[in-house]
Amino acid sequence: MRFVTQINQYLSLKDEYGKVDNQQIGIYAKSGFGKGLASEGIMEEYHKQGYTILCIADPKGVWESAFQMFKPNERYHLEHLSKIGKIPQEKKVKLYHPFSFALPSNEYLPEINFYTFSLKQLGRPEWSLINETESDTDTIKIILQASQELTKEDGIYNLMQNVQNMIKGKSEGRKKKADPKNFYLETGVGTTKSLAEISNQVKPFRREYLLAKDSSPYNINWEKILLDKENYHVFSTHWIKDEKIQDFVVLSLFNGVVETLRHLRKSCKVLVVLPEINKLCGYRPEGHKRILSKYIKEFLGIIRNMGSSSLSDSQVWLDVDEEVRNKNTESFIGELKGGVDIDRITKAYGYKREIKEQLRKMEYKNSYFRVGYEDDPVILWFSSAGHKEENDNFFDRYRKEKKLLKKYSEQINKMREMYDEEENKVKERIKKQERFERERREKERREKEEKKIESQKTEQKIEKLKGKVDENIEEKMKRCYEMSVDSNLDKRERSWRKIAQKVGLKSHLTAKKYAEIYEQKIKGNTQLNQLEEKMQEQEFADEEDELEKSDEESDEEEFDTEDED
């Protein structure tokens, strides 16, 4: 870009053909020196060239860029415009703020577009910032998959239910209870560490209800905004106090711009404005700021490659990430406050003592050294629109200008209904699951009890039968013994085979053993129990083959014994 100096060192950003190039511009000067005025002048130049103006950050929460919807009223501003031939005027400005239940429902407010982000459309940058990690951890993988699996009607409660289902896996059999204060998540499931980490990071969004289902009518429409070149688009987080959520909003907005530009079929150039960029891309950031800085730097490079531009400022040059400073295609340095900052800039750019002294005290307010062209300081043209002065309050000025005011209780109530509907759906589903689980457990308990009773009955029958068997064996043993010693019986009738047949035993050997056991029992032998056990086993053994082989031998032995007698 070739700058053209006009009227007493005033500077326009137009090139020799009257156009502005896509640039990454940085302005550095102490508080109150006029960074805002310089930025607003640059916005106006780009707006005239057909760029869509996007002020996506409001670090002070005072709607600073929105003052351009008013006409300038300060004498210094009006004299400046008169000198450069500009006519004071208002800019068409649209205001945007993420939805929050902290919004005042009974106050009259300016015309503000309260918007939400689609949970389903959030990507790695947003979830990395929320969970404060850029690495491809299990936590990031889980929540990315859980958000992608959401339907158009699923919101934050369903997201956390998806996360829980992915984490607990096959964990069954343990008693769990849904916690209504924690998205109705079950306590004591799976790897609770991951679930607890994600839950704690997502909890603040129940109050700052800016993450909505994909079908929400309040989801931000980036294509509509980017193609609206007529208005300035000013975003603020005025009613959000959590700095991390403020940063999340800025990152989500910037990511939305980048993704929409990538897929937008119509030609579109934007100027992204980031006041006090040191709060977004600071020197050596930590925690979620490190993630924020990483992606902001990445997005700045992407939009410039797409033919768009960025504009940022900071009170302290040294507070800004070195990569951001080095990537600025145009840098303007005004009067600085800190000696360390001046020394570092002087060393970095090789400035001589004369310039170093001017950085301590510039001859004219709102004058800057353009890095690379430091022969003389220049003054950037002021915007023809209004500027926030030190004690200005945006809402007071808005009311004073008698612009349209309205209440937003209707939208707040609708969002409350949407939130309650989402919560109640999950609540009812959990109740059904718990009722089903109770019924399942009760059924299992009854079946177990029935099996136990049936088992007890079976055991009782077995014991009863066993008792009868024991009594029967005892009687058989007695008969075997008595018959074997009964001298009134014929000797042939006292053979073990005959005794076995009369008693009902399969084997004459069993009859013989029964008689021996009973004899030992009478004598009180201590080995009785062991013998009884052996015989009970022997009674139920199949000895038919052995019996058939030994029949003839046993008969012959008995006859031989009788002859000898």
Side-chain angles (χ1 to χ4, degrees):
M1 178 188 296
R2 187 173 71 84
F3 287 85
V4 180
T5 303
Q6 303 179 24
I7 309 177
N8 299 333
Q9 296 178 303
Y10 287 90
L11 193 69
S12 169
L13 301 182
K14 297 176 183 177
D15 63 16
E16 58 201 86
Y17 302 105
K19 296 182 178 181
V20 292
D21 294 333
N22 57 306
Q23 302 285 348
Q24 188 168 320
I25 303 171
I27 302 174
Y28 305 95
K30 70 179 185 180
S31 177
F33 188 72
K35 295 187 301 299
L37 285 163
S39 295
E40 289 156 6
I42 293 174
M43 289 184 218
E44 188 171 51
E45 293 284 343
Y46 276 91
H47 186 240
K48 288 178 180 179
Q49 295 298 317
Y51 281 69
T52 301
I53 307 302
L54 304 172
C55 306
I56 65 172
D58 182 27
K60 297 176 183 175
V62 295
W63 301 93
E64 186 167 356
S65 296
F67 278 81
Q68 293 176 89
M69 68 169 58
F70 312 124
K71 287 183 178 180
N73 54 10
E74 292 295 321
R75 182 177 176 180
Y76 78 89
H77 198 155
L78 295 171
E79 287 179 351
H80 173 93
L81 295 180
S82 175
K83 192 170 184 178
I84 63 176
K86 281 189 176 183
I87 300 174
Q89 60 179 327
E90 300 173 348
K91 297 294 183 184
K92 291 184 178 181
V93 177
K94 285 187 176 180
L95 307 178
Y96 302 84
H97 193 287
F99 182 82
S100 169
F101 286 123
L103 298 176
S105 58
N106 294 317
E107 292 184 22
Y108 284 96
L109 300 172
E111 186 76 27
I112 302 174
N113 297 285
F114 291 105
Y115 63 90
T116 54
F117 295 107
S118 167
L119 263 172
K120 189 175 177 65
Q121 302 303 321
L122 296 185
R124 185 178 297 274
E126 290 91 344
W127 291 122
S128 294
L129 185 142
I130 289 175
N131 291 282
E132 300 186 13
T133 177
E134 61 182 297
S135 57
D136 198 22
T137 61
D138 289 340
T139 299
I140 295 299
K141 290 178 182 177
I142 288 170
I143 200 163
L144 275 172
Q145 184 176 343
S147 62
Q148 291 166 3
E149 291 179 357
L150 293 173
T151 69
K152 286 184 175 295
E153 299 302 319
D154 290 341
I156 195 168
Y157 276 84
N158 283 294
L159 170 74
M160 294 309 302
Q161 291 295 313
N162 283 1
V163 170
Q164 174 179 261
N165 292 336
M166 293 178 64
I167 288 177
K168 75 177 183 179
K170 297 181 179 179
S171 175
E172 298 291 347
R174 287 178 292 171
K175 190 175 181 180
K176 313 174 187 73
K177 187 175 181 181
D179 183 1
K181 295 182 180 179
N182 193 23
F183 302 102
Y184 292 91
L185 302 178
E186 295 175 357
T187 56
V189 300
T191 49
T192 55
K193 183 179 180 182
S194 296
L195 185 63
E197 287 175 352
I198 296 173
S199 173
N200 289 333
Q201 300 295 352
V202 174
K203 274 183 182 179
F205 291 100
R206 291 194 298 181
R207 172 182 168 83
E208 316 299 353
Y209 190 51
L210 50 92
L211 301 180
K213 59 185 181 180
D214 198 44
S215 63
S216 170
Y218 303 112
N219 285 343
I220 193 165
N221 186 338
W222 272 118
E223 183 172 347
K224 182 178 179 181
I225 293 172
L226 296 187
L227 294 177
D228 179 8
K229 300 178 181 181
E230 182 180 5
N231 295 280
Y232 281 30
H233 303 276
V234 177
F235 296 80
S236 179
T237 51
H238 176 81
W239 285 286
I240 293 178
K241 305 307 178 187
D242 189 323
E243 185 181 19
K244 183 176 179 179
I245 297 183
Q246 291 175 358
D247 292 339
F248 171 84
V249 170
V250 175
L251 181 65
S252 297
L253 291 173
F254 208 165
N255 193 24
V257 172
V258 170
E259 291 302 317
T260 306
L261 285 174
R262 278 175 172 160
H263 302 99
L264 198 62
R265 295 182 180 180
K266 297 182 180 180
S267 176
C268 179
K269 291 186 176 183
V270 303
L271 174 70
V272 177
V273 184
L274 299 167
E276 297 191 34
I277 195 170
N278 56 296
K279 293 188 177 181
L280 303 175
C281 297
Y283 183 68
R284 293 181 180 177
E286 297 179 352
H288 81 272
K289 291 284 189 181
R290 179 172 54 84
I291 311 301
L292 176 68
S293 178
K294 173 186 181 296
Y295 284 108
I296 292 292
K297 289 185 291 185
E298 182 179 313
F299 295 158
L300 285 170
I302 291 173
I303 63 167
R304 185 161 184 266
N305 290 336
M306 292 184 189
S308 291
S309 301
S310 64
L311 171 63
S312 62
D313 66 55
S314 174
Q315 295 181 26
V316 181
W317 179 83
L318 195 58
D319 284 353
V320 179
D321 185 279
E322 185 177 4
E323 185 178 343
V324 174
R325 299 195 310 257
N326 292 338
K327 284 187 176 180
N328 283 336
T329 56
E330 290 291 345
S331 296
F332 296 92
I333 304 175
E335 187 171 305
L336 300 171
K337 185 176 181 180
V340 175
D341 209 28
I342 293 172
D343 291 340
R344 291 292 181 87
I345 289 177
T346 301
K347 184 177 180 179
Y349 295 122
Y351 289 157
K352 295 181 180 180
R353 182 176 180 181
E354 181 183 352
I355 294 179
K356 182 177 180 180
E357 291 302 318
Q358 288 187 71
L359 292 177
R360 296 183 187 276
K361 183 65 178 178
M362 298 293 285
E363 186 175 356
Y364 300 103
K365 190 176 182 181
N366 305 320
S367 59
Y368 297 86
F369 282 110
R370 178 188 172 199
V371 174
Y373 304 88
E374 290 88 351
D375 294 338
D376 291 299
V378 295
I379 296 176
L380 295 174
W381 283 8
F382 289 2
S383 168
S384 58
H387 170 74
K388 182 191 179 307
E389 304 300 335
E390 186 175 357
N391 296 318
D392 279 350
N393 179 281
F394 176 72
F395 298 112
D396 291 342
R397 181 74 182 273
Y398 195 94
R399 294 185 182 94
K400 185 178 179 180
E401 297 282 340
K402 298 181 180 179
K403 292 183 180 290
L404 178 66
L405 292 165
K406 61 181 291 188
K407 287 185 177 181
Y408 292 88
S409 54
E410 183 178 350
Q411 182 176 350
I412 293 173
N413 290 336
K414 286 183 178 179
M415 292 298 290
R416 173 57 69 182
E417 289 173 3
M418 186 187 301
Y419 179 89
D420 291 341
E421 180 184 5
E422 180 186 345
E423 181 181 9
N424 289 333
K425 281 183 179 179
V426 174
K427 184 178 179 180
E428 288 303 314
R429 188 169 73 244
I430 295 299
K431 283 184 177 179
K432 288 181 181 179
Q433 291 174 350
E434 290 178 344
R435 184 167 60 252
F436 175 80
E437 183 64 20
R438 285 197 302 270
E439 291 173 354
R440 184 187 65 80
R441 288 199 299 266
E442 179 62 23
K443 183 179 178 181
E444 288 181 352
R445 186 194 65 78
R446 287 198 305 269
E447 290 176 350
K448 186 176 181 181
E449 186 67 24
E450 289 172 0
K451 287 181 180 179
K452 183 178 179 181
I453 293 173
E454 188 65 28
S455 176
Q456 290 175 346
K457 289 180 179 178
T458 302
E459 289 178 0
Q460 290 173 357
K461 289 180 180 180
I462 292 172
E463 289 296 324
K464 188 175 181 180
L465 290 172
K466 185 178 179 181
K468 290 181 178 180
V469 170
D470 290 344
E471 291 176 1
N472 190 29
I473 292 175
E474 178 77 16
E475 180 63 25
K476 288 181 178 181
M477 288 182 178
K478 181 178 179 182
R479 289 181 63 192
C480 288
Y481 174 73
E482 289 177 345
M483 291 174 68
S484 68
V485 298
D486 189 354
S487 59
N488 296 323
L489 290 177
D490 185 79
K491 288 186 178 181
R492 287 182 176 274
E493 295 298 320
R494 283 188 291 158
S495 69
W496 295 118
R497 178 169 295 281
K498 290 291 185 180
I499 292 173
Q501 289 176 352
K502 291 178 181 179
V503 176
L505 299 175
K506 293 181 180 180
S507 170
H508 66 283
L509 296 176
T510 303
K512 184 178 180 181
K513 286 295 182 182
Y514 271 18
E516 292 175 355
I517 290 172
Y518 195 77
E519 183 180 8
Q520 294 295 331
K521 185 176 181 180
I522 293 173
K523 295 179 180 180
N525 195 308
T526 56
Q527 297 179 349
L528 176 63
N529 291 336
Q530 295 178 0
L531 290 171
E532 284 181 340
E533 290 177 1
K534 289 181 181 179
M535 289 311 303
Q536 287 177 17
E537 293 175 2
Q538 186 170 353
E539 179 186 8
F540 295 104
D542 186 4
E543 300 176 357
E544 293 296 335
D545 292 340
E546 182 181 352
L547 291 173
E548 291 177 359
K549 294 178 180 178
S550 59
D551 279 345
E552 294 180 358
E553 295 177 0
S554 299
D555 290 338
E556 290 176 358
E557 289 177 1
E558 290 178 13
F559 283 119
D560 292 341
T561 304
E562 292 174 0
D563 292 341
E564 289 175 2
D565 292 340

